[in-house]
């Protein structure tokens, strides 16, 4: 795309079009994962839906490769592509409108979770999403979305009521249970394969202060802790969420100095039921059952503060490589793998998480949405993370070796948003299991030429 082409597109859009010669180019192409360093032909910072439509048409008419940027958080940097036109939603489509009467939120396709949490919290409301405020609503929702409220209110897609979508030909449609239901089904888990979602409509729930808890145990107790967690959480009430983690303790508050930088296993809890000191003490009494915790902390906290808790610990600009899988149990073999890879963790920020996807997330049936693992209990992710580019090979090697060892203990496929950047088409198929062919049919209807292919790609059935 030469300078003249950038000029032509600039004339058609209200938002900025940033090319390689422009001063803001390096900032505009920088995304969350610093391992990704790509140079698109131009970045169209769309001001509104009309800009999105114009950018899509321009790419089609000029035969340009097209990528779509929401929050810029995908592990593989799917939103930033060499020599492509990037349709960037993160500026003009970063907005949220809450209607407290109907308990719904209309959310722009470029909003971040923190934007939604903040607006909804103003009315004592929330919808389930992830565990970090800077993640994009767009990519997270289209993949499924799980986080602190999943056991109470389901996946993010379970709370999606409708979406406005710019299709590959630049036209706009609404997808909901009533309009284009095939597209609505596919959007709920099928990723960014079908079009550009310019707005999402979500159901909200009464969530104000929640009970945050963090429990850490010494690594030698990982076996007892994982066996206890495997039995305790699925039997607990839906109001209690808790993701398991292996980690290195951050050197700062709330952790006491004697455990700083020590390897530990732990659970990060979020309760929508126990939101005062007394009920938190009662709820968390069982954490002493597997072994005496090295650290336990529980406090009532506004939900948006819980969501922003990790923002400083893992800011934009770190090296990331991750892989995932779904689990319906935690086998003895898996416990051995977790023990080994906690021992040889390659950096202070590297981690493994098991996010619960049971309880309210099991209310919808296997055919109701494109999410193909309603029978999973955990969505696991192994994240090699470091601020130092010199660690890139080490963190990638650790994550891949860990995944190789753990995969036989999994259900075979991963949450689409936890697939690594280089895993290939068979892994995408295993993510969607029996839904893949139906998704490929929907893709044929709405994007027959696979214009939207910078994602975990579902190929059109007829192409
Ligand atoms: P982007 O990189 O902008 O986009 C990712 C993909 O989605 C691209 O293919 C892009 O084209 C497409 N896309 C984005 N927006 C749109 C849109 N509006 N219309 C069409 N296509 C679009 N996931 C969870 O479920 N729960 C978590 O708790 C969680 N925690 C995370 C924490 C961190 C630190 C990180 C880095 C990721 C986390 N994720 C979590 C994964 C996250 O859901 C994915 O990385 C997701 O892809 C991020 O979406 P994004 O819009 O920020 O990313």
């Amino acid at each position: 795309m030469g300078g003249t082409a950038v000029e032509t597109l600039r004339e058609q859009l209200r938002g900025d079009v940033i090319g390689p010669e422009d001063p803001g180019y390096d900032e505009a192409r920088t995304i969350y994962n610093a391992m990704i360093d790509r140079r698109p032909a131009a970045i169209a910072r769309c001001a509104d839906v009309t800009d999105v439509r114009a950018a899509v048409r321009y790419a089609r008419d000029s035969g340009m490769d097209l990528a779509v940027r929401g929050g810029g958080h995908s592990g593989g940097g799917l939103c930033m592509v060499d020599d492509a036109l990037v349709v960037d939603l993160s500026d003009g489509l970063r907005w949220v409108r809450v209607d407290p009467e109907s308990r719904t939120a209309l959310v722009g396709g470029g909003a971040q979770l923190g934007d939604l949490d903040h607006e909804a919290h103003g009315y004592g409301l929330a919808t389930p999403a992830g565990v970090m405020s800077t993640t994009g609503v767009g990519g997270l929702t289209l993949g499924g979305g799980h986080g602190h409220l999943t056991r109470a209110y389901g996946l993010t897609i379970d709370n999606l009521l409708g979406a406005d979508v710019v299709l590959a030909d630049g036209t706009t449609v609404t997808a909901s249970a009533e309009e284009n239901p095939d597209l609505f089904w596919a959007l709920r888990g099928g990723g960014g394969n079908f079009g550009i979602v310019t707005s999402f409509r979500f159901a909200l729930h009464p969530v104000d202060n929640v009970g945050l808890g963090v429990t850490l145990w010494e690594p030698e107790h990982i076996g007892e802790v994982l066996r206890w967690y495997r039995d305790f959480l699925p039997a607990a009430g839906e109001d209690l969420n808790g993701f398991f983690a292996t980690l290195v303790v951050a050197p700062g508050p709330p952790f006491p100095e004697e455990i700083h930088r020590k390897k530990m296993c732990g659970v990060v809890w979020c309760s929508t039921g126990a939101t005062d000191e007394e009920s938190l003490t009662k709820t968390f009494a069982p954490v002493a059952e597997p072994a005496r915790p090295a650290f336990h902390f529980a406090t009532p906290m506004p939900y948006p503060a819980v969501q922003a808790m990790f923002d400083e610990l893992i800011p934009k600009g770190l090296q990331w490589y991750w892989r995932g899988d779904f689990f319906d149990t935690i086998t003895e073999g898996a416990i051995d793998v977790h023990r080994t890879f906690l021992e040889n963790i390659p950096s202070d920020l590297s981690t493994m998480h098991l996010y619960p996807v049971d309880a309210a997330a099991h209310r919808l049936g296997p055919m109701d949405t494109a999410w193909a693992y309603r029978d999973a209990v955990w969505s696991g992710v192994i994240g090699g993370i470091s601020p130092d580019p010199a660690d890139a090979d080490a963190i990638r090697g650790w994550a891949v070796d860990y995944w190789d060892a753990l995969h036989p203990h999994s259900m075979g496929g991963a949450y689409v948003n936890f697939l690594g950047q280089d895993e290939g088409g068979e892994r995408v198929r295993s993510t969607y299991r029996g839904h893949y062919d139906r998704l490929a049919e929907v893709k044929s209807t709405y994007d027959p030429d696979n214009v939207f292919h910078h994602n975990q790609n579902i190929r059109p059935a007829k192409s």
Side-chain angles (χ1 to χ4, degrees):
M1 190 181 191
T4 325
V6 172
E7 281 309 320
T8 311
L9 188 58
R10 211 167 257 158
E11 280 163 19
Q12 298 178 26
L13 263 57
R14 289 187 87 191
D16 292 338
V17 179
I18 304 169
E21 311 302 324
D22 295 316
Y25 179 71
D26 281 332
E27 197 191 330
R29 71 186 183 88
T30 302
I31 53 174
Y32 185 77
N33 182 358
M35 210 184 264
I36 312 294
D37 178 16
R38 305 219 176 102
R39 302 185 65 83
I43 298 166
R45 307 206 77 185
C46 296
D48 51 28
V49 178
T50 304
D51 275 5
V52 175
R53 298 177 61 189
V56 169
R57 286 196 176 121
Y58 183 90
R60 286 216 68 162
D61 294 348
S62 59
M64 281 188 77
D65 204 11
L66 189 92
V68 181
R69 177 187 171 141
H73 251 232
S74 62
L78 296 166
C79 62
M80 204 48 66
V81 175
D82 284 333
D83 304 321
L85 172 60
V86 174
V87 178
D88 186 342
L89 312 175
S90 68
D91 188 19
L93 282 97
R94 188 177 168 185
W95 51 263
V96 178
R97 317 252 182 284
V98 170
D99 177 2
E101 293 297 313
S102 62
R103 287 192 178 165
T104 57
L106 198 61
V107 181
Q112 298 181 2
L113 301 191
D115 304 326
L116 172 56
D117 296 335
H118 176 76
E119 285 292 322
H121 186 70
Y123 301 96
L125 300 169
T127 206
V131 301
M132 263 197 80
S133 77
T134 53
T135 306
V137 172
L140 177 133
T141 302
L142 294 169
H146 52 60
H148 291 303
L149 301 181
T150 302
R151 295 192 81 248
Y153 298 112
L155 301 172
T156 309
I157 49 171
D158 302 349
N159 296 277
L160 184 66
L161 302 172
D164 286 335
V165 190
V166 173
L167 300 178
D169 60 2
T171 58
T172 314
V173 295
T174 296
S176 68
E178 294 78 33
E179 290 178 80
N180 302 300
D182 54 342
L183 178 60
F184 187 51
W185 177 83
L187 288 178
R188 287 176 292 160
N193 274 286
F194 307 95
I196 303 180
V197 177
T198 51
S199 64
F200 297 89
R201 196 158 62 84
F202 292 107
L204 301 173
H205 306 274
V207 176
D208 195 359
N209 270 8
V210 294
L212 167 80
V214 179
T215 313
L216 299 177
W217 294 268
E218 300 283 351
E220 59 266 30
H221 298 306
I222 190 168
E224 298 95 289
V225 172
L226 269 171
R227 279 178 215 109
W228 169 80
Y229 171 77
R230 172 185 69 196
D231 298 337
F232 172 76
L233 191 70
E238 292 188 350
D239 59 357
L240 184 64
N241 205 88
F243 74 83
F244 179 87
T246 55
L247 54 101
V248 178
V249 180
F255 305 112
E257 222 174 304
E258 61 270 19
I259 65 166
H260 285 179
R261 304 204 62 222
K262 285 190 77 175
K263 293 169 192 171
M264 294 263 168
C265 61
V267 179
V268 177
W269 308 98
C270 177
S271 171
T272 48
T275 57
D276 60 67
E277 301 286 354
E278 201 184 322
S279 53
L280 283 169
T281 305
K282 211 165 131 201
T283 298
F284 292 123
V287 302
E289 285 171 15
R292 199 168 70 83
F295 174 80
H296 178 73
F297 165 84
T299 184
M301 215 186 238
Y303 176 66
V306 173
Q307 287 284 83
M309 199 168 67
F310 300 117
D311 290 1
E312 270 185 44
L313 185 68
I314 40 174
K316 184 176 174 178
L318 305 173
Q319 306 283 309
W320 278 76
Y321 184 87
W322 72 43
R323 286 200 176 184
D325 263 323
F326 285 113
F327 299 88
D328 53 5
T329 187
I330 301 168
T331 64
E332 287 303 312
I335 291 171
D336 290 341
V337 174
H338 292 309
R339 185 183 295 111
T340 303
F341 284 86
L342 174 56
E343 274 163 20
N344 65 20
I345 202 162
S347 63
D348 282 3
L349 291 174
S350 293
T351 186
M352 187 286 304
H353 292 173
L354 293 171
Y355 290 100
V357 286
D358 63 333
H362 281 184
R363 277 195 211 130
L364 267 70
M367 304 309 285
D368 290 340
T369 65
W371 177 271
Y373 280 85
R374 290 285 169 187
D375 48 345
V377 181
W378 288 281
S379 164
V381 67
I382 299 160
I385 311 169
S386 171
D388 187 354
D391 287 346
D393 287 343
I395 59 173
R396 185 184 181 283
W398 176 79
V400 171
D401 291 348
Y402 195 160
W403 183 86
D404 282 344
L406 193 59
H407 182 63
H409 304 280
S410 77
M411 297 174 78
Y415 173 33
V416 69
N417 281 340
F418 287 165
L419 285 176
Q421 53 258 49
D422 48 5
E423 293 198 62
E426 278 312 306
R427 286 289 286 157
V428 179
R429 273 188 176 271
S430 65
T431 281
Y432 292 114
R433 292 165 134 179
H435 289 344
Y436 188 91
D437 291 344
R438 182 171 167 192
L439 284 163
E441 289 293 339
V442 180
K443 178 84 172 170
S444 293
T445 307
Y446 291 95
D447 182 18
D449 300 326
N450 206 4
V451 169
F452 301 109
H453 63 103
H454 289 294
N455 38 49
Q456 300 296 353
N457 197 229
I458 294 160
R459 292 180 189 283
K462 303 170 204 107
S463 64

